[in-house]
Amino acid sequence: MRPGSSGAGPSPRLILLLLVLLAFGLRLYHLDYQSLWRDEMDAILFARQELGQLLALFVKPGHNGPLYYLILHGWVRLAGDSEFSVRFPSLVCGVLGVPLVYLVGRLWLGSTASLTAATLATTSPYLVWYGQEGKMYTLVLLLSLLSTYVYLMALERNRPV
């Protein structure tokens, strides 16, 4: 046992690491099981546009997800447009959301509650579903959690992060 450790069980870091690995496995399982559906095909069509056309979407009203299409633009050129490769960025965003849920929860509620929240984010059927879909939903979740975390850190330090 390390000096200063209570021996009361696994550390929150180890639990969080295991949750991230579980989140990855749950989202990876059958990632390419179903063929691409209409909205995912639309995402590919947007991602295949020229870079200038994609950047113009950022100022056009009624277009949701231009940042996702910009990311997918580069990813599809690198990895192709199979079911697996188109859905993989959503998987990554969904997995990265788990430690961010923990960090935001820890700032608000402490370690135990934040581990519970991270466990729920890891195993939530909806979050697993959206983590396997070639759309912008998990990117929105990830960026929302990240901005919330940065905001809370700025409040805690009483200065911009």
Side-chain angles (χ1 to χ4, degrees):
M1 191 176 342
R2 292 189 330 237
S5 67
S6 66
S11 73
R13 282 187 174 178
L14 177 61
I15 294 170
L16 185 59
L17 174 63
L18 294 173
L19 288 174
V20 167
L21 292 173
L22 178 60
F24 182 78
L26 289 173
R27 285 150 181 81
L28 184 65
Y29 179 70
H30 280 201
L31 186 62
D32 58 356
Y33 183 68
Q34 295 184 11
S35 59
L36 296 170
W37 59 291
R38 183 181 180 273
D39 281 359
E40 291 173 312
M41 292 301 295
D42 287 345
I44 293 170
L45 290 175
F46 275 111
R48 286 185 178 166
Q49 292 181 11
E50 294 298 320
L51 194 56
Q53 291 174 302
L54 280 174
L55 293 174
L57 293 177
F58 279 87
V59 294
K60 284 189 177 178
H63 285 274
N64 54 1
L67 178 61
Y68 176 77
Y69 300 138
L70 187 62
I71 292 167
L72 194 60
H73 174 82
W75 179 252
V76 166
R77 287 176 177 246
L78 181 68
D81 59 6
S82 69
E83 289 90 350
F84 188 92
S85 62
V86 167
R87 293 174 179 151
F88 196 79
S90 294
L91 176 150
V92 170
C93 290
V95 170
L96 291 175
V98 171
L100 277 171
V101 165
Y102 172 79
L103 291 172
V104 169
R106 192 181 68 192
L107 287 174
W108 271 338
L109 305 168
S111 186
T112 302
S114 62
L115 283 173
T116 302
T119 301
L120 292 172
T122 297
T123 59
S124 165
Y126 288 109
L127 293 180
V128 172
W129 173 276
Y130 288 122
Q132 293 183 324
E133 195 168 282
K135 294 291 291 174
M136 84 290 289
Y137 305 120
T138 57
L139 178 62
V140 170
L141 172 70
L142 180 67
L143 294 176
S144 298
L145 287 166
L146 184 60
S147 65
T148 301
Y149 178 72
V150 169
Y151 175 71
L152 291 172
M153 289 301 295
L155 287 177
E156 187 175 277
R157 295 176 181 176
N158 200 22
R159 64 181 171 82
V161 178

